[in-house]
Amino acid sequence: VVQWLRNIATFASPRWLEAQKFDAAGNALWASPVAVYDQASLPIGYYPVVQPDGAGGALFAWHRFLGNAYDGIVQHLDASGAELFPHNGVLVSTEANRQEFTPSLAYLPASGDMIVAFNKEDLNQSQWGVGAQRISAAGVRLLTDNGVELQPVNGTEKNFERCVPHGDGAIVVCFDQPNTPLLQHR
């Protein structure tokens, strides 16, 4: 399964997340590409995550800007290209006055759940933290709607969160930069 950002023609064109499954000879296996996310244009210069699910489908994680904040989102396509979560995916957190960036995911095939780690920031993007969420095979947030806070949101920059499966959970790692220079910005 291959994903890409559909970009029509110009710098300002809408960018949507699409996917297609190919066989070993390069032939498309789904009748047409699947619009994984087409609600709003995705950020430029960002690379969403795609991982195989081990059963011919794929898992996706990305962030988007809608309204006044960035949100982390996930989706699961089965081997036929059908969306297993609602169209445009499931938010990893609904926490007020927080933004979620660069989600990383770990898939747990035994349960079908995914663990998602993400960078969480204040609305000014001047305070950083690390959050995590467990999404069920049915697309339900299992660690409250806000997820859990692994590192507090404060003036210490945290970034490059990565999540890998471990048993029935996951290990989450990140960079922690205690001497964040002033005016350093995404």
Side-chain angles (χ1 to χ4, degrees):
V1 176
V2 176
Q3 74 167 1
W4 64 90
L5 288 180
R6 180 176 180 260
N7 188 345
I8 308 284
T10 71
F11 184 80
S13 296
R15 289 172 301 283
W16 301 321
L17 183 60
E18 295 187 350
Q20 176 61 272
K21 185 174 181 176
F22 296 93
D23 65 17
N27 300 305
L29 296 177
W30 298 334
S32 61
V34 174
V36 175
Y37 180 81
D38 59 5
Q39 184 177 15
S41 189
L42 291 172
I44 197 163
Y46 167 66
Y47 303 99
V49 173
V50 62
Q51 291 182 6
D53 68 2
L59 309 158
F60 301 84
W62 68 95
H63 66 249
R64 60 102 193 265
F65 184 80
L66 188 64
N68 68 340
Y70 286 88
D71 300 299
I73 307 175
V74 294
Q75 180 60 275
H76 188 177
L77 299 183
D78 70 12
S80 72
E83 294 174 307
L84 298 181
F85 300 164
H87 183 62
N88 290 315
V90 172
L91 295 173
V92 299
S93 174
T94 61
E95 186 175 4
N97 300 315
R98 292 287 182 247
Q99 305 194 82
E100 297 83 37
F101 291 95
T102 59
S104 173
L105 63 88
Y107 184 57
L108 308 173
S111 64
D113 294 355
M114 62 176 83
I115 308 287
V116 184
F118 51 92
N119 186 267
K120 50 191 284 187
E121 299 182 14
D122 66 348
L123 294 178
N124 294 323
Q125 297 181 31
S126 61
Q127 304 275 303
W128 306 267
V130 178
Q133 180 63 269
R134 186 176 186 126
I135 306 288
S136 75
V140 175
R141 289 181 294 274
L142 298 175
L143 301 176
T144 78
D145 281 343
N146 295 341
V148 295
E149 189 168 85
L150 302 178
Q151 289 283 321
V153 176
N154 58 31
T156 300
E157 185 174 5
K158 296 120 186 140
N159 57 37
F160 201 68
E161 293 79 10
R162 293 296 179 260
C163 189
V164 294
H166 182 71
D168 186 37
I171 295 172
V172 175
V173 296
C174 72
F175 285 130
D176 183 310
Q177 185 177 351
N179 296 317
T180 302
L182 292 176
L183 303 177
Q184 181 172 346
H185 204 65
R186 229 176 240 293

